[in-house]
Structures are given as structure tokens and as C-alpha cells.
Amino acid sequence: MQFKFRFIAAIAAVMLLQGCGEEFLNHPPLDAMTSGNFYKTDDEILAGTGPLYNIVWFDFNDKANMAFQEARAGNLNSNDRTAYIKHAIPSTDVSTLLPGYKSFYKIIAQANNAYKAIKEAQGSTASAAVKAQGLGECRFMRATAYYYLVTSWGAVPIVYDNVAQLNTPPVRNRIEDVWKLLINDYRFAAENLPVTTVQGRLTKYSAEGMLARMYLMRSGLNQKGTRNQSDLDSAKYYAESVITKSGLALAPTYAELFESANHNASKNNPESLFSLQWMPVSSPWGVNNSFQAYFAYDANITGQGDGWGAAQGLSADLVKYFTENPADSLRRKAIAMFDTDVYPNIQKATGGLKYNRPGALSAIKKYIIGSPADNGGLGGFMAAYINSYMLRLAEVYLIYADAVLGNNATTADTKALEYFNAVRKRAGMPAKTSLTFEDIFRERRVETVFEGNSWNEIVRWYYFNPAKAIAYTAGQHKENYTMTYTAGSINPKKYNVTYSPAEYYPLTDATLYLPFPESEIVNAPSLKNEPVAFDFSKLVD
């Protein structure tokens, strides 16, 4: 049975989560699927954990992701995310900051509740394998939510049991304890998830891929100029396991990764290790992928009355990269539309979309797939039928190279170069014979831009070398610009880009983390207290 039908029975109960008020840190979600009446069979477990792949992630995907991850990382030019571009986010932001913060605790609450219900289901006839899978999915999703919380807010409350913590004021826990918790969760997931995917669900290698990312990131925590070798070794171990044992391979071309036909809830791209699985419908609200609605530059692209992204585009910093590196045109065209680009798979009925907009911004292309008519009749208003990558094999290749580089200035390690250059070869870029940290960092930025991990990468650098991370952001161009194709230029095409006076908005120590939403502080003043150690003896597997 396809993924999109497997979980529908669970949606009504999970919809109650969407109404949780600001007290969600203190109160359990109103989930009707309790251990007494659900999670007794394999089908019920799969249905009950299905919403962890979409509806609980909706608020993150809807507005928060592009603000928290891409605007802050210097990748986005936007007229309504300027506070995030300038690292000047007010705690009173209720359109993006508040729902983004709350979204992660919705994920955690649903994961906690489903985990408890699966373990306590009475009269269960579910197989041991599917029970283990369901438990692994819950822990994986909880870990992922905490990953975004710790990289966005630093020390945050650890909520492990919504019922047991009902009457306890939330307190922030130390950053190192949040990292310990989420790595433990991913390790549990790796031990319990199946080896092969069914319906686009998580596998053992999804968890190992995330462990590679987490260990690489944590390797710099509380270090001074170097990274923890034990964590680097773990990152290398898990990355190599995914690369050599998962059976996955890079997609032949970069562009095909972001076409609906190649990556949807009925057919996941083989390069995907973890993707959010969106439905091609607008009801029930929250199972839909609203990305295209906000970032398609014209309503004629979507044909659904959305497509409000005329003032959204690639940042000046990335425009400079692509115009100075024309050989990276294969990725560039799949990421952003430049003047005179043609996209045959959008507006198919009229011969393809022709992006003829001299004197305009570059428009976002990644995840822009066109109307339902372009996609087999599937999709709808604010409901583009394409999954959102959260982790791809290509990133694991680059993680391996970074882990091997470790604390060295350069590396010419054979395997590291093999995996790094495999990513570049697909992009039509020349191979490198040695690698630096900046080489790998830049490659990950371009390869995975708009895929929800860009800001986290800057935090990763800041962990072990704040001065260099700050200097990197200080050099990012964030001014406006206009672009026009230079007539007659081919192989490579050239563009006349006119930049406004340069604007730089560097990160500072004070702006590394987002402010807690004001309403959350009002509701829970204890969030202003200093972080405390977490008592791990409270956790029961």
C-alpha cells in the first residue's frame, strides 16, 4: 500500500496537535490514539507513526525553514525575511519565530506519545519487527526536532514524557546534554529500524546517516580551534557504513532530484535517506507541501491561485558564486532561475517555462515543479506533490570527506577525494586533488542549499572556530541586485548583474541563537534561567 494511504486513518487525531496552545511544554497533546485503543497491529503502528513524516513538520516547512536555515545562512534574498537575513530577529515575531519554535515541540510531543503508546499497547498482535520500527521512527523524529532546537536556540528544555512533566515548569537543559540525548535517540533508531525502506520510511541507514552528521557537528562543540577526534572517527564510521552498505547511489543528474515524478510520497528518489512525505492535497491541512506556494515567482506557474514568490530569490552572495563559477551551471539551473533559462517540465502545455525577466532577481527553482497539469494531475492549492529532502546520500559523501580531513589543514586521502569528487562530477565540476575545510564547506552549501541544513552548518563551524565563522558571515553579500542575460553568450552564458551598495550583516556571539518567543517567556519565565544538567536516569527505553 502506498505511503499516502497508509497513514490517513491517523490524521484526525494528530490534527488535535495543531491546536496546542502556548502551554504545550507543560501539557500533553490531545492525542486520541492511546495505548488502550490503537497501536495493537502492524497496520495501526504504521498508520500511527505516518504523521511523523509530514503533518507535524508542516509549520517548520511552511515558513520557518527558509527563515531559520536559508535567510540566516546568507542564501536567500527576501522581502519578508529581512530580520533573519540581518540577524535582527525580534522575540515578538509571531508569524515565523513562534510557530517555528512550537513546531519542534509538536514533533517531540507526538513522537513521545506514539512511543509510549506502542510500548504500552494492551493485547497487541503487532510483530516484533514493526514494533521496533515504530519505536525507532519515534526516537529518530524526536532526535531530529532536538537537532533543530539545539542549533537554533542552544540550551532548550528536554521534554521526554509529556504526562510525567505535566506540572513541572520547563527549564533549559545544557547544550551538551541535548546533544547527548539526540545522539542516543539516533543510535536507538539505528538499532531498531529496518535495513530496507518501505513506502519511503526510515531505515537503519537513515539513522546512521544522521549519526554521521551529528558526530561531525558535535566534534567541534566546546573545542578551541580543533575538533574532537573520537567524534570525527564516529562520523567517518557511520558515513562509510551508509556509503558502502546501504545499496544507495547518487541520482544520475542533480536536476532530477527535484522533479515531482522522481521524488514523491509514492516514489521516493533512491538517493534519499530521509525525506518529509507530502500529500498532493490541501485537506486535511498540514499534510501538504506549501513551499512552492511561497517561492514560485508567478501564479501562472502553479495554476492554483498561489505562487507569491516574485520578491524571493537567490542571495547576492550565491549569485556572485554562480557567476564567478559558470562551470557549476547544472546545479545552478536546478537551484535558481536566471534570465532566459528554459524549464521544459514546467508549463508543458505551452512548450515550457521561459524565464525571461531581464532586470529582475533570480527566482527560486529548487522544489518549484509547476501545476498539477505538469505533474500527472497531482497537487493543489499550496500542495505541490514533491517530498522535502532532509538527508541525501550526496551529503553523506561530503561528511565522510570532512571527517577524514579532521584537524588537518588539507587532505589528499583517496577515499575522501573519491566521494567528494563523485558529487562534483555529477555537477559537471572538475575534480580536486586535495581538500580543505573551506572546500568541503562550500561544496555542502551549494549542493544542499534550500534543503534545511544551511544555518546548522554555520553553527557547526562556530562551535570550534567562532572567529572564522563570524568572518565568513561578515563577508557575505546581502544587498539587492538585478540581472540580465548578456545577449549572444553561450557555453557559458554570461549575465550583467547590477548590485546595490554592498550590505553585510555579520553574525555575532549574541545573535548565534534565535531569541525565545516572547509569549513563551511570558508563559514560562523559567526559560530565562540558566541551563541545568539533565538527569538521564529519568529516561526509560
Side-chain angles (χ1 to χ4, degrees), residues 70 75 147 209 212-214 216-217 227 254 331 366 390-392 394-403 420 423 437-451 453-454 456-457 460:
E70 306 302 337
N75 296 333
Y147 169 58
R213 183 197 278 178
M214 299 307 134
L216 184 68
M217 185 151 187
R227 294 184 279 181
Y254 187 80
R331 282 190 297 203
K366 186 176 279 192
M390 300 289 274
L391 180 67
R392 289 191 286 115
E395 183 184 345
V396 179
Y397 279 22
L398 301 177
I399 288 170
Y400 180 91
D402 204 339
F420 181 89
V423 175
F437 176 86
E438 287 80 2
D439 289 334
I440 303 169
F441 185 91
R442 184 186 310 109
E443 200 68 27
R444 281 183 75 176
R445 180 194 188 188
V446 175
E447 175 71 21
T448 65
V449 65
F450 303 146
E451 294 179 45
N453 197 52
S454 298
N456 299 341
E457 280 291 278
R460 179 170 74 87

Side-chain angles (χ1 to χ4, degrees), residues 62 66 76 81 291-297 308-309 312 364 368:
D62 188 55
M66 289 293 277
L76 184 68
R81 293 169 177 81
F291 182 96
Q292 177 172 259
Y294 296 114
F295 290 97
Y297 78 89
W308 309 305
Q312 316 290 331
I364 303 300
I368 305 304

Side-chain angles (χ1 to χ4, degrees), residues 136-374:
E137 288 175 320
C138 292
R139 294 282 288 272
F140 182 105
M141 296 298 187
R142 184 174 76 171
T144 306
Y146 276 120
Y147 169 58
Y148 282 102
L149 283 166
V150 76
T151 53
S152 297
W153 281 275
V156 294
I158 290 176
V159 179
Y160 59 92
D161 187 319
N162 297 83
V163 175
Q165 295 174 269
L166 179 63
N167 297 313
T168 303
V171 296
R172 293 189 299 141
N173 295 109
R174 300 180 308 176
I175 291 174
E176 56 265 40
D177 290 340
V178 180
W179 275 105
K180 180 178 178 180
L181 174 80
L182 68 88
I183 284 177
N184 286 347
D185 275 357
Y186 280 128
R187 289 175 67 95
F188 177 93
E191 293 169 359
N192 286 274
L193 289 168
V195 172
T196 56
T197 187
V198 177
Q199 304 160 4
R201 288 177 176 265
L202 299 169
T203 69
K204 165 189 177 73
Y205 297 109
S206 307
E208 288 194 346
M210 292 300 268
L211 281 167
R213 183 197 278 178
M214 299 307 134
Y215 276 115
L216 184 68
M217 185 151 187
R218 195 183 70 168
S219 68
L221 184 63
N222 296 328
Q223 303 295 308
K224 295 182 178 180
T226 60
R227 294 184 279 181
N228 179 279
Q229 190 60 50
S230 177
D231 279 351
L232 290 170
D233 292 343
S234 293
K236 176 186 174 184
Y237 169 84
Y238 284 112
E240 187 167 28
S241 177
V242 172
I243 293 167
T244 61
K245 298 177 183 177
S246 69
L248 302 182
L250 297 183
T253 67
Y254 187 80
E256 71 187 69
L257 289 163
F258 307 100
E259 299 287 347
S260 171
N262 301 320
H263 195 47
N264 58 65
S266 295
K267 178 188 176 183
N268 277 256
N269 192 285
E271 188 172 324
S272 172
L273 282 157
F274 168 34
S275 291
L276 302 181
Q277 309 281 321
W278 303 109
M279 305 298 110
V281 295
S282 302
S283 180
W285 188 254
V287 304
N288 47 306
N289 185 352
S290 59
F291 182 96
Q292 177 172 259
Y294 296 114
F295 290 97
Y297 78 89
D298 189 278
N300 291 325
I301 291 175
T302 71
Q304 298 296 300
D306 52 19
W308 309 305
Q312 316 290 331
L314 208 61
S315 69
D317 202 63
L318 278 178
V319 167
K320 283 181 178 289
Y321 167 79
F322 282 120
T323 54
E324 292 169 4
N325 294 273
D328 211 348
S329 62
L330 296 179
R331 282 190 297 203
R332 194 280 300 161
K333 191 177 179 184
I335 291 167
M337 303 179 188
F338 281 15
D339 184 33
T340 72
D341 280 344
V342 177
Y343 295 92
N345 289 336
I346 299 175
Q347 297 180 346
K348 293 178 181 177
T350 56
L353 171 65
K354 300 171 180 64
Y355 188 72
N356 295 326
R357 295 182 75 205
L361 287 175
S362 64
I364 303 300
K365 170 59 181 73
K366 186 176 279 192
Y367 292 125
I368 305 304
I369 60 172
S371 68
D374 295 322

Side-chain angles (χ1 to χ4, degrees), residues 32-62:
M33 299 180 295
T34 66
S35 58
N37 61 19
F38 211 73
Y39 297 102
K40 293 181 179 180
T41 67
D42 286 2
D43 282 348
E44 288 178 350
I45 289 173
L46 293 174
T49 57
L52 291 172
Y53 289 83
N54 49 39
I55 193 168
V56 296
W57 287 96
F58 177 82
D59 286 340
F60 163 78
N61 184 68
D62 188 55

